[in-house]
Amino acid sequence: MKLAPRFAVLLAAAAVAAGCAPQTSDNSSSDKDDKSGTLRVWLFQEVGNDPKAKVVDSVVTAFEKAHKGTKVDVEYIPIDTRAQRVKAAFNDPKSAPDVMEYGNTDTAGYVKDGGLLDVTKEFGAWSEAKDTDPTAKQSVTVDGKTYGSPFYVGVRALYYRTDVFKDLGLQPPKSMAELAATARKIHKAKSDLYGLVVGGAYTYGAMPFVWANGGELATAKGGSGGSYTSAIDSAAAQKGIKAYTSLFTSDNCPAAKCAVMGGNDTITAFAAGKAGMAIGGDFSHTAVEAGKVKGKYAVVPLPGVASGSVAPAFAGGNNIGVLKSTSHRTLAVDLMEQLTSKATQASMFDAMGFLPTFTDVRGAAAAKVPFEKPFVQTLAAGTKFVPASPGWSEIDSSLVLPTMLQEVISGKKSVAAASGDAAKKMNSAFSSAG
């Protein structure tokens, strides 16, 4: 899985050269901008973290060599306890890192909390930034300002059983209508399999159906900026909700079993050989490879409404930003850029399979690793992101969208009633967030 060694070497050389001349700015909340000393970095602890750590160590070694008198102290923090650690860091600058990895849906909330540094000027002047995927750039943008640099991106596509399709004489579906029909054909012929395994608690498996039908989660008031109004109850969104929830039936994925499933549950079922198809991410590859379907599956982009189109997917992933409390602003911003550079992202793809946020580096990755091609195609077709509002955290944590889906699936509420209630909850969260 080596990615164009010569290309990576050239990028690495450019990255180190760029690291020798960091830019200086003055909008940090700290009065200091020390050009030496120790930089503290928090990165997420991954399952099987050693390959990630090796890439980071190489970046740190080059950075320390380029900046005499500077030391970088990297700590890998558990993802599941990050919220408490980050909150404490925002409240106590003395315990805070200078540079931090964070989930891309957390950007707006962290900006509201006053924790992230505005790096608009530096990011705009960084030569590599021009090749950043637009949706990835959106994930570090709040009210038109940039608060970090994209680290990697993750999207979902359609996994399907090649042996089942061959046995039944099926072809990968090219539209959402064909997807539903294919799912039912599979279950009819093989009653022990879900046709397309779906989950009532699988928000990012459901949203492509909403987006493909022209719906949106929310719209920004005035066209952009931090104030949002829910659009989940629009006619187009309701059409997508209906398309997704119609799959929770006895001829595909029975509501009694599938309504409570989340994304991990659906991938687990597919990997265990219990489904003909599943909506999974590039990050699901390891789990599927470790399951019973190893060597008996393939992946294509999730189809949209029109035949041959690709349904918009949620662009997940992580970013790396600088904390506003840093006393090493110039060094911290430069380290942020080195940790998210083209060279580093190419190496991180080799090491961890993280999809690069730079379009050119991602293209090179897809050329070297065929498995990634459908995910890169999905990204190229256009992806979506959550509203850049701190209110999204409340919407997500209070399970507004899964509740809506489950109310429809159970027959408790109509699509119109459930989406209307969800819209009210979303608007309340947006309003309280400011």
Side-chain angles (χ1 to χ4, degrees):
M1 285 180 59
K2 290 298 180 185
L3 178 65
R6 182 173 178 273
F7 180 51
V9 169
L10 289 172
L11 289 175
V16 173
C20 296
Q23 293 182 323
T24 301
S25 299
D26 57 7
N27 72 340
S28 173
S29 62
S30 171
D31 293 331
K32 295 183 178 180
D33 187 12
D34 296 334
K35 301 304 191 296
S36 63
T38 299
L39 289 174
R40 296 182 63 203
V41 180
W42 285 359
L43 299 177
F44 289 159
Q45 176 85 32
E46 310 290 344
V47 176
N49 197 67
D50 286 349
K52 177 179 182 178
K54 288 180 180 178
V55 174
V56 172
D57 287 347
S58 68
V59 174
V60 167
T61 298
F63 185 85
E64 291 177 341
K65 184 177 180 180
H67 301 282
K68 301 299 182 183
T70 298
K71 177 178 173 55
V72 178
D73 180 13
V74 180
E75 180 182 356
Y76 292 92
I77 66 173
I79 296 174
D80 56 359
T81 58
R82 71 189 187 281
Q84 300 94 303
R85 292 287 301 270
V86 172
K87 183 177 181 180
F90 288 172
N91 291 331
D92 180 17
K94 291 183 180 179
S95 70
D98 298 274
V99 179
M100 177 180 75
E101 179 178 357
Y102 61 93
N104 63 10
T105 60
D106 294 327
T107 307
Y110 288 173
V111 170
K112 183 189 179 186
D113 292 340
L116 293 177
L117 184 69
D118 175 1
V119 294
T120 306
K121 181 178 178 181
E122 294 92 340
F123 191 81
W126 185 26
S127 61
E128 295 191 356
K130 69 180 187 305
D131 295 321
T132 301
D133 177 90
T135 308
K137 185 175 181 180
Q138 182 185 350
S139 78
V140 293
T141 304
V142 179
D143 293 340
K145 296 180 180 179
T146 305
Y147 293 91
S149 179
F151 186 34
Y152 69 86
V153 65
V155 291
R156 293 165 176 83
L158 183 68
Y159 284 71
Y160 71 96
R161 287 277 297 277
T162 51
D163 56 337
V164 172
F165 273 58
K166 182 179 180 180
D167 185 34
L168 300 180
L170 300 173
Q171 295 296 320
K174 294 183 178 181
S175 69
M176 283 194 163
E178 285 186 16
L179 176 67
T182 301
R184 293 186 167 94
K185 287 178 182 177
I186 292 171
H187 184 72
K188 183 177 181 179
K190 298 179 180 292
S191 59
D192 59 327
L193 296 181
Y194 301 121
L196 169 65
V197 61
V198 286
Y202 191 6
T203 300
Y204 297 119
M207 289 316 301
F209 290 77
V210 172
W211 291 322
N213 279 279
E216 296 288 350
L217 281 168
T219 55
K221 293 180 180 178
S224 63
S227 184
Y228 287 83
T229 300
S230 175
I232 199 64
D233 58 343
S234 69
Q238 287 187 37
K239 190 173 181 180
I241 295 167
K242 184 177 180 180
Y244 185 70
T245 55
S246 69
L247 295 166
F248 292 80
T249 50
S250 60
D251 59 356
N252 175 53
C253 201
K257 293 183 179 180
C258 302
V260 297
M261 286 189 182
N264 288 344
D265 298 319
T266 65
I267 289 301
T268 298
F270 182 82
K274 297 179 180 179
M277 296 182 288
I279 300 169
D282 55 291
F283 42 83
S284 305
H285 187 213
T286 302
V288 175
E289 278 288 292
K292 292 183 178 180
V293 299
K294 179 179 175 65
K296 298 183 289 187
Y297 72 93
V299 185
V300 293
L302 183 69
V305 174
S307 182
S309 67
V310 177
F314 165 68
N318 286 356
N319 302 324
I320 292 181
V322 175
L323 269 71
K324 202 171 184 180
S325 57
T326 184
S327 60
H328 299 86
R329 181 199 168 100
T330 300
L331 287 171
V333 171
D334 186 53
L335 180 57
M336 173 195 77
E337 292 179 354
Q338 302 315 310
L339 286 169
T340 60
S341 70
K342 291 184 177 184
T344 302
Q345 290 195 23
S347 296
M348 200 61 78
F349 172 79
D350 284 347
M352 299 293 294
F354 292 166
L355 274 178
T357 64
F358 296 104
T359 53
D360 53 345
V361 182
R362 196 160 62 215
K368 292 293 179 181
V369 184
F371 169 78
E372 298 291 353
K373 186 177 180 179
F375 299 101
V376 173
Q377 290 175 329
T378 299
L379 285 162
T383 52
K384 296 283 189 177
F385 194 60
V386 299
S389 165
W392 178 254
S393 294
E394 179 184 339
I395 293 166
D396 193 32
S397 63
S398 57
L399 306 177
V400 172
L401 297 180
T403 298
M404 173 193 72
L405 294 172
Q406 290 165 345
E407 287 174 340
V408 175
I409 293 164
S410 67
K412 183 179 179 180
K413 293 181 181 178
S414 65
V415 171
S419 63
D421 289 345
K424 291 177 183 177
K425 293 175 185 176
M426 290 176 69
N427 285 333
S428 176
F430 288 142
S431 178
S432 63

